[in-house]
Amino acid sequence: MKIKSYNLQQKLWIFLFTITLVSIVFAYSLSQVFYQKLYVDYVKENLELQVEQLASDYKGGPLTDTFRQQVEWLNSKTHGEMFVVNNPRELSACLPFEIDYETLISEEERQSLLAGKAVFKKGYEERFQRDIVAVIYPLLDNGRLEGIIYSYIPLTSMNEFTQDYTFVWFIAGFLFIALMFLVGVKVINFMVKPLKEMKKAAMKMARGDYSTVIDGSGRDEIGSLATAFNQMSQSIQEEDERKRDFLADISHELRTPLSYIKGYTQALLDGLVKTKEDERKYLKLISRETKKLQNLVQDLLDLTKLESNTFVINANPVAFAQFIEDYMEKYISILQDKKIKLKMDLSPEVIISGDEVRLEQIIQNILENALRYTEEDGTISLCLTKKGKNCILTIEDTGRGISEEHLAKITQRFYRVNKARSRFDGGTGIGLSIVEKLMELHNGHMTIESELHKGTKVIFVFPILDL
């Protein structure tokens, strides 16, 4: 059997109706309890007041006809029934029905009356064959019970008295439910409207449409949710655009070297190369493009790992100045061949916590760019200083520099300042993105300063290891 499913709006309607109905029933039941209690207490106090006033006229001795007549007169003026008796058999003269005279009061009640205490009764009374509220008051003379004043009101009279009250409650409750339902539906529709809009927007997002903007002006949780939804939608849209751009860039980056490799290989296969010198030239070009592809794939793998939350560096204490000096040995011959001067000013006491393999990768990416864009007789400078709890490594060159419009985007993946020329003498285009991620993993950060035709300065800030 299929169970019917309700949406949030319907559930809220049902909840509102149920709560309203339960509240009215509970309030009515509680009011009935209080009303009955208050009314019974009022009747009791009224009956007690009447019999006490009558009893105050009793001066002792046998009950007189005058006293009986006074009770009968008062009985004719009140809503309930009242009589006075000293012998139960005399009740036949004042009651229109047969009762068990000997059981008008029990022995326990008689003892209370002898003690001068009034007796209160509520409920079904067999002697009168009805539900009553009654007060029995003793008439004592020197400790002897000369008689009693018995005053009672049938509960049927009380029920009749409360019928109008119950009817008013029913009408008021019905109107209240109708009013709450009408108002509640509008309020619920207003509250659920942003959620419905979010549902529609989410379905559009699933189809790739991120144009819907939810009204997040409300200051409640739904307004905050709408704002968060808009932010999420914008973030997903930006990420989707970055992903498309990334795939387009990868396709573009792969297409160029693959085209060269395919063209040169096809020329060799077709026998278009006639001399060994040309054949070697073509093979060198194929090797160069293959190396570019290899570097690109490796950088992509590195970047993918770095962007995952599972990547962890193998950090150890590193004497940074000595590490840089040792690493720069491999570049001495390259600098000499390009006739580029190297200057190093390294503070020897700096010790950091770092992954040596990844530190080499950081320095290599920056040095490769510096070597690539610095002309002959230029200079590359490395400076390591200590500042507070951090150290600052600066790698500066006297190369072409970067204009301000490109500087803000230089760390984006596949971003190139000179796109045409970089296809031949540039890197993979994601080296700086890798460096930025590696710096984050080392709890540091990178800043790039540059001026066109004057050079570029890359500043690394690492926390110093406290030993």
Side-chain angles (χ1 to χ4, degrees):
M1 181 179 176
K2 187 176 180 181
I3 300 175
K4 186 177 180 181
S5 177
Y6 297 96
N7 58 36
L8 178 60
Q9 189 174 21
Q10 292 171 332
K11 289 178 180 178
L12 288 173
W13 288 346
I14 295 172
F15 177 76
L16 176 64
F17 179 78
T18 304
I19 288 296
T20 304
L21 184 60
V22 170
S23 299
I24 290 175
V25 172
F26 178 76
Y28 174 74
S29 302
L30 194 62
S31 67
Q32 284 290 91
V33 171
F34 283 129
Y35 189 77
Q36 290 285 352
K37 184 178 184 304
L38 292 172
Y39 186 68
V40 169
D41 289 345
Y42 167 76
V43 170
K44 176 186 174 184
E45 291 176 1
N46 190 45
L47 291 176
E48 284 182 331
L49 180 61
Q50 290 177 358
V51 296
E52 283 179 359
Q53 289 177 344
L54 279 174
S56 65
D57 293 335
Y58 172 67
K59 305 303 181 182
L63 300 181
T64 65
D65 291 338
T66 302
F67 184 75
R68 292 175 186 276
Q69 292 173 358
Q70 185 178 355
V71 172
E72 290 176 2
W73 178 84
L74 184 60
N75 180 55
S76 66
K77 301 298 182 182
T78 59
H79 182 66
E81 299 288 339
M82 182 184 299
F83 56 87
V84 62
V85 62
N86 59 349
N87 184 344
R89 294 188 181 276
E90 296 178 8
L91 286 173
S92 59
C94 57
L95 292 177
F97 45 84
E98 294 293 330
I99 62 170
D100 184 355
Y101 304 129
E102 300 299 335
T103 58
L104 184 61
I105 57 174
S106 66
E107 181 60 31
E108 183 181 352
E109 292 169 345
R110 179 180 176 82
Q111 295 301 319
S112 296
L113 293 171
L114 285 170
K117 298 178 180 177
V119 175
F120 172 73
K121 290 187 176 185
K122 178 181 179 296
Y124 183 76
E125 184 61 60
E126 292 183 359
R127 291 176 286 277
F128 302 124
Q129 296 180 353
R130 66 184 68 180
D131 291 323
I132 65 169
V133 175
V135 173
I136 306 172
Y137 200 88
L139 298 174
L140 298 173
D141 183 17
N142 295 323
R144 183 174 178 273
L145 184 62
E146 290 288 344
I148 60 172
I149 300 175
Y150 201 112
S151 181
Y152 72 93
I153 291 181
L155 283 177
T156 53
S157 299
M158 295 177 61
N159 293 334
E160 291 172 1
F161 185 78
T162 58
Q163 281 181 354
D164 292 340
Y165 169 78
T166 303
F167 180 73
V168 170
W169 249 106
F170 178 78
I171 298 298
F174 177 79
L175 293 176
F176 182 74
I177 290 176
L179 179 62
M180 286 297 295
F181 188 76
L182 291 175
V183 174
V185 166
K186 290 186 178 181
V187 172
I188 290 172
N189 289 340
F190 177 76
M191 293 173 60
V192 173
K193 183 180 178 182
L195 298 178
K196 289 184 175 180
E197 292 178 355
M198 281 183 236
K199 178 183 176 181
K200 293 179 181 178
M203 295 178 69
K204 288 183 178 180
M205 286 173 59
R207 297 191 295 267
D209 182 3
Y210 305 97
S211 60
T212 303
V213 178
I214 310 298
D215 181 14
S217 58
R219 296 185 179 181
D220 56 5
E221 288 79 0
I222 294 181
S224 300
L225 179 61
T227 301
F229 185 91
N230 291 333
Q231 294 174 349
M232 180 190 70
S233 177
Q234 185 178 1
S235 298
I236 294 175
Q237 181 178 9
E238 291 174 356
E239 184 61 30
D240 191 58
E241 291 175 355
R242 283 198 295 267
K243 186 184 295 184
R244 286 198 295 267
D245 292 342
F246 183 62
L247 291 174
D249 288 337
I250 289 177
S251 300
H252 189 69
E253 293 292 332
L254 291 174
R255 184 168 59 247
T256 301
L258 286 174
S259 298
Y260 280 117
I261 292 172
K262 180 182 178 181
Y264 297 145
T265 303
Q266 193 65 44
L268 291 171
L269 291 174
D270 292 343
L272 298 177
V273 181
K274 303 300 182 182
T275 65
K276 288 291 183 180
E277 184 179 350
D278 289 339
E279 180 180 341
R280 182 173 178 79
K281 175 184 175 183
Y282 277 36
L283 289 173
K284 286 180 68 175
L285 291 172
I286 292 172
S287 176
R288 184 192 70 183
E289 298 303 322
T290 303
K291 186 177 180 181
K292 282 186 177 181
L293 281 175
Q294 185 180 18
N295 291 338
L296 176 61
V297 171
Q298 185 60 50
D299 283 350
L300 286 172
L301 289 174
D302 288 343
L303 188 59
T304 302
K305 290 178 183 178
L306 290 170
E307 289 182 340
S308 69
N309 296 326
T310 58
F311 186 83
V312 179
I313 62 173
N314 183 23
N316 291 293
V318 177
F320 207 14
Q322 186 63 48
F323 171 82
I324 295 171
E325 288 179 357
D326 294 341
Y327 180 75
M328 290 303 297
E329 288 293 328
K330 67 171 67 177
Y331 285 97
I332 297 299
S333 59
I334 299 174
L335 291 165
Q336 290 176 348
D337 290 342
K338 293 197 68 173
K339 297 180 180 180
I340 296 175
K341 299 175 185 177
L342 175 64
K343 294 182 179 180
M344 291 195 297
D345 182 12
L346 309 175
S347 178
E349 69 271 13
V350 173
I351 299 177
I352 66 170
S353 177
D355 185 329
E356 293 190 1
V357 175
R358 300 303 174 181
L359 289 173
E360 287 184 359
Q361 195 172 1
I362 291 172
I363 298 173
Q364 177 182 339
N365 272 289
I366 304 305
L367 280 176
E368 292 290 342
N369 285 334
L371 287 168
R372 189 175 294 115
Y373 300 115
T374 301
E375 304 294 339
E376 289 187 3
D377 297 325
T379 303
I380 295 177
S381 304
L382 281 78
C383 179
L384 177 64
T385 58
K386 185 177 180 182
K387 185 176 182 180
K389 295 183 178 180
N390 298 316
C391 68
I392 299 174
L393 172 63
T394 302
I395 301 178
E396 186 175 4
D397 64 62
T398 57
R400 303 174 199 157
I402 305 168
S403 64
E404 187 175 349
E405 62 176 305
H406 296 298
L407 196 60
K409 303 176 183 179
I410 197 66
T411 57
Q412 294 179 9
R413 291 175 292 192
F414 297 112
Y415 187 83
R416 298 178 186 275
V417 176
N418 188 341
K419 297 184 183 294
R421 185 169 182 178
S422 294
R423 298 299 170 197
F424 297 96
D425 61 358
T428 61
I430 56 177
L432 291 177
S433 298
I434 293 174
V435 171
E436 199 169 46
K437 294 292 182 182
L438 287 173
M439 288 302 298
E440 291 177 6
L441 291 173
H442 282 85
N443 299 317
H445 62 271
M446 172 182 69
T447 305
I448 301 176
E449 299 175 358
S450 187
E451 190 174 347
L452 201 59
H453 306 306
K454 290 188 177 181
T456 301
K457 180 191 292 186
V458 183
I459 303 167
F460 300 104
V461 179
F462 293 89
I464 295 175
L465 184 63
D466 293 328
L467 299 177

